[in-house]
Amino acid sequence: MPRRVAPIPAAPSASTAEELLPLRAKPAPPTSPREITRDEVADVFENIARLLALDGENPFKVRAYQNGARAVEMFAGNLREAVVGEDAPGIPGLGEALALKVKELVTTGRLDFYERLRERLPAGILELFEIPGLGDKKIKALHDQLKVTSVAKLEEALRAGVVAKLPGFGEKTAQNLLAAIERRKEVADLFRLGDVAADALAVHEALRGHPEVIRVSPAGSFLRRKEIVHDLDFVVSTRAPETVGEFFATLPTVRRVEARGPTKVSVRLASGVPCDLRLVADAEYPFALQHFTGSKEHNLAFRQRVLARGWTLNEYRLAADKPDAAPVPKVRDEAGLYGALGFAWIPPELRENAGEWEAAALAEGPGLPRLVELENLRGTFHCHTTASDGRDSLRAMAEAARELGFQYLGIADHSKASFQANGLDAGRLLAQVAEIRALNAELAPDFRLFAGTECDILKDGSLDFPDEILAQLDYVVASVHASFTLPEAEQTRRLVRAMGNPHVTMLGHATGRLLLTRPGYAVDLAAIIEAAAATGTIIELNASPRRLDLDWRWWHRARDAGVRCAINPDAHRTAGFQDLWFGVAAARKGWLRREDVVNCLPLGEVETALGAKRTRSS
DNA sequence: GCCGTTTTCGGCCCGACTGTTTTCAGTCG
């Protein structure tokens, strides 16, 4: 049933990053000299593992370094405090040898053992691990037999046809590798929203603090919250463009300056992300911000409407273009610019020329939706604990969720078919349910844990637990974790069958995609949405910035079909809750409102939504 | 390299999938 869409106020509400980011910890201010980060230490261990494997080292030693990388990555405390000093507590999961290496990295910024290992092997060989389908054995074979030492050399060898002739390789393998190299080239200049958000915040924060900056905002695809961006854009208004440009070009996060002029400075950040700054006078600011926020398609449609009035618009001004044109109103901000043309201010997330113009027309339009905001979330589902592959205990997850102001948290650890994730069998699951019930007695009445599972959808669409077990849970997330390569019709039948089970409350990450890494499995999403609507199954919007699945492009349609959304962080540790920011961004981009998102419901109402499917089938 | 109601050696995550193979190796989750 179509629902009435409440128009949003003309003035910008929560549109800027910092207003939407109360959950996300502010990045630490750059210190000098910069302390090595957890992720960098983890990368060193990961690379050591790879180099040792290529060197033919004991595979269990290799794994020890891989485990060490994971342990460091997941470690919640301060690295330096954990390893430096007389009675340093150490890092859980790290033994003596690796703890010493962390200490060396933290105190000197380098690791002698690692440097020497790297000298022994060709510099480009590590990048070969980034090619899916290549592991240490194949890379070693390529290196030893074909002198392949880099991705470029591999491509040469593939095109020369010599790889397919190696023992253990073949025509099909060679084709797959070539395809993987091509795909890698395509995504070389692309970044996930999650990869640039911290940079964007830091740069925004720095610019805002500068005394010569009058107004500043991120722009471009980052402000529109595209799941993939090419670069970061900022627009600043100032009376001193040279001073601000110089300040920007010399920020600690800047690796190098690519171009430098009076109105534009282009840099490459240390993270590899290109970042542009536009400098304008304050009167030009709304035009520049609107122009550089895009999208191109949105702006093209805008220009056509401007031209129809006999006006002209560029990134500096709105002006009369014809002698008989109506006078141009004074524009002070974006709301004024949209208002001048008879439109409500359009949230950046919706600026994709996908119906926002029709909705925003003040005179006759249906009104823009009042988009869901982070503050509307009352809880979330699909979180993991140490019982499966999570890094924090049930209690720690519950307490962190309560800290964030949530009223409830759904626990959905993996089921047994996900063995690699230490999935729970029925016995362990029921023990966890008992643990949750006991903890709830302690947390009531203002907080509640819901006992669930992320139950594997098996190849034939049946579930990894029998109905008698599922019936004892508060809710069930059903997800695909294997058999990605089924033909589309079969994959679709599989998901539809799973959604037909009355215990399946919601469908997890609907396509299984990993952004910039792996396309989703072939599935007919229109049919999935139809089945979700017919069965009353909630569809998850997996908020992990690696997934953002179901994609925002489908949500408008799903909403109109009456499907409800659950914005889930798929959190594997307490810090994972922060990913909800990305989920809300994607939901907004998909035109979702508070009433479309099931985890905006307060405790006392959300239970009904979780139980709705069972109720109607009984 | 890590770990131990198996404590100083000997094991260490299992199964599906793919492609190369005629019975299995490598990769991935």
Side-chain angles (χ1 to χ4, degrees):
Chain A
M1 189 178 80
R3 277 162 289 192
R4 176 152 173 74
V5 179
I8 59 139
S13 58
S15 66
T16 53
E18 67 281 5
E19 280 172 289
L20 280 171
L21 277 171
L23 287 179
R24 181 158 282 274
K26 294 231 169 8
T31 51
S32 183
R34 200 175 60 81
E35 184 109 342
I36 192 164
T37 66
R38 256 198 299 277
D39 288 349
E40 286 166 340
V41 173
D43 282 348
V44 169
F45 283 170
E46 194 61 51
N47 284 341
I48 289 175
R50 289 168 166 176
L51 292 169
L52 289 177
L54 292 180
D55 226 13
E57 204 17 297
N58 171 7
F60 294 108
K61 190 174 187 172
V62 172
R63 186 181 298 165
Y65 278 95
Q66 287 166 343
N67 291 343
R70 290 243 327 256
V72 169
E73 219 168 50
M74 299 303 174
F75 179 61
N78 177 289
L79 277 187
R80 179 179 284 271
E81 285 164 17
V83 295
V84 180
E86 279 288 308
D87 38 54
I91 293 168
L94 282 198
E96 204 177 339
L98 266 67
L100 271 174
K101 291 186 168 72
V102 175
K103 184 176 174 184
E104 187 179 336
L105 281 165
V106 168
T107 49
T108 69
R110 57 191 297 284
L111 181 61
D112 195 50
F113 174 73
Y114 179 46
E115 305 293 332
R116 279 184 288 131
L117 201 52
R118 279 207 297 189
E119 278 165 24
R120 287 228 306 277
L121 291 152
I125 203 139
L126 283 172
E127 70 182 15
L128 288 167
F129 283 93
E130 293 164 21
I131 308 291
L134 283 186
D136 53 81
K137 303 283 182 3
K138 285 208 157 80
I139 293 174
K140 190 166 163 56
L142 288 165
H143 174 248
D144 293 350
Q145 295 171 59
L146 296 178
K147 304 213 175 352
V148 165
T149 54
S150 66
V151 174
K153 285 260 167 51
L154 173 60
E155 186 175 358
E156 275 175 38
L158 286 163
R159 295 202 187 279
V162 289
V163 172
K165 296 193 178 70
L166 281 187
F169 290 72
E171 203 49 59
K172 187 78 201 205
T173 304
Q175 277 172 24
N176 288 346
L177 289 175
L178 207 50
I181 289 173
E182 288 301 328
R183 206 165 48 238
R184 189 171 177 272
K185 285 183 191 164
E186 280 166 25
V187 304
D189 311 323
L190 302 178
F191 303 89
R192 285 174 290 250
L193 186 61
D195 299 334
V196 302
D199 270 341
L201 267 192
V203 171
H204 192 190
E205 202 62 26
L207 287 170
R208 205 173 18 192
H210 195 279
E212 292 290 352
V213 169
I214 304 169
R215 288 192 271 180
V216 56
S217 175
S221 49
F222 174 75
L223 189 62
R224 299 203 318 279
R225 310 295 188 231
K226 282 287 291 291
E227 70 281 20
I228 302 291
V229 303
H230 291 86
D231 61 2
L232 287 173
D233 297 287
F234 288 89
V235 177
V236 149
S237 71
T238 176
R239 287 187 197 87
E242 275 199 23
T243 313
V244 177
E246 170 68 16
F247 171 74
F248 174 71
T250 55
L251 283 174
T253 49
V254 169
R255 184 198 293 166
R256 64 170 182 272
V257 178
E258 309 267 16
R260 179 88 180 267
T263 63
K264 179 183 173 184
V265 181
S266 297
V267 303
R268 176 83 60 166
L269 300 178
S271 57
V273 182
C275 183
D276 283 355
L277 175 67
R278 307 280 173 162
L279 301 141
V280 297
D282 198 55
E284 297 164 338
Y285 181 81
F287 308 103
L289 178 56
Q290 197 284 327
H291 177 86
F292 290 114
T293 296
S295 65
K296 217 181 287 174
E297 295 74 19
H298 173 88
N299 285 358
L300 197 65
F302 197 12
R303 294 255 172 110
Q304 284 163 359
R305 288 168 164 87
V306 169
L307 286 174
R309 297 218 172 190
W311 295 343
T312 173
L313 175 71
N314 61 24
E315 61 260 59
Y316 301 111
R317 65 192 60 86
L318 176 66
D321 198 29
K322 292 184 179 130
D324 58 338
V328 176
K330 183 90 180 154
V331 170
R332 291 194 168 79
D333 52 23
E334 270 198 343
L337 177 52
Y338 283 93
L341 274 297
F343 294 96
W345 178 79
I346 299 175
E349 295 93 330
L350 300 188
R351 298 183 195 173
E352 301 292 345
N353 201 32
E356 73 272 21
W357 286 112
E358 293 73 14
L362 289 173
E364 71 282 7
L368 287 164
R370 187 182 182 112
L371 301 176
V372 62
E373 295 177 25
L374 195 56
E375 293 73 13
N376 299 147
L377 299 185
R378 292 290 168 266
T380 192
F381 300 99
H382 193 171
C383 297
H384 299 269
T385 74
T386 43
S388 66
D389 59 348
R391 295 289 139 177
D392 284 309
S393 68
L394 182 59
R395 179 180 288 274
M397 294 296 281
E399 282 171 358
R402 197 169 53 170
E403 282 285 292
L404 290 170
F406 288 152
Q407 299 175 344
Y408 53 87
L409 178 68
I411 301 297
D413 271 314
H414 287 285
S415 65
K416 59 188 189 301
S418 280
F419 192 91
Q420 81 291 345
N422 191 25
L424 282 63
D425 59 21
R428 289 175 63 214
L429 177 63
L430 294 179
Q432 187 187 53
V433 173
E435 199 186 339
I436 286 174
R437 305 283 185 239
L439 205 46
N440 272 337
E442 190 185 314
L443 296 165
D446 42 326
F447 188 85
R448 178 167 168 191
L449 284 171
F450 289 110
T453 174
E454 183 179 15
C455 186
D456 266 56
I457 300 174
L458 305 179
K459 193 173 181 176
D460 62 354
S462 64
L463 295 168
D464 198 21
F465 287 121
D467 285 359
E468 314 78 273
I469 298 293
L470 297 179
Q472 299 180 54
L473 304 171
D474 296 321
Y475 75 105
V476 172
V477 183
S479 305
V480 163
H481 290 113
S483 300
F484 293 139
T485 52
L486 297 181
E488 179 174 318
E490 201 177 331
Q491 194 71 272
T492 305
R493 267 200 306 278
R494 176 191 190 189
L495 293 184
V496 169
R497 181 178 167 200
M499 286 191 286
N501 184 311
H503 297 293
V504 170
T505 324
M506 55 186 86
L507 177 67
H509 44 69
T511 74
R513 75 177 182 184
L514 292 177
L515 290 167
L516 300 185
T517 305
R518 171 180 92 194
Y521 31 81
V523 65
D524 178 353
L525 285 173
I528 297 301
I529 287 170
E530 197 180 310
T535 58
T537 308
I538 297 161
I539 295 182
E540 168 182 275
L541 199 174
N542 191 299
S544 163
R546 291 166 52 74
R547 295 187 182 271
L548 294 174
D549 184 15
L550 180 69
D551 187 277
W552 58 269
R553 293 163 185 82
W554 287 93
W555 277 112
H556 200 156
R557 175 173 186 163
R559 188 197 80 184
D560 287 347
V563 175
R564 283 222 266 193
C565 168
I567 303 178
N568 288 335
D570 202 350
H572 285 71
R573 47 180 156 163
T574 56
F577 291 132
Q578 305 295 337
D579 286 346
L580 284 167
W581 184 81
F582 301 106
V584 170
R588 289 170 63 85
K589 217 164 169 50
W591 291 61
L592 295 187
R593 305 153 302 175
R594 174 186 204 152
E595 57 268 39
D596 303 315
V597 178
V598 72
N599 46 318
C600 289
L601 289 171
L603 203 53
E605 292 178 31
V606 73
E607 295 87 339
T608 314
L610 294 181
K613 250 180 102 172
R614 287 169 179 167
T615 310
R616 75 188 221 181
S617 74
S618 63

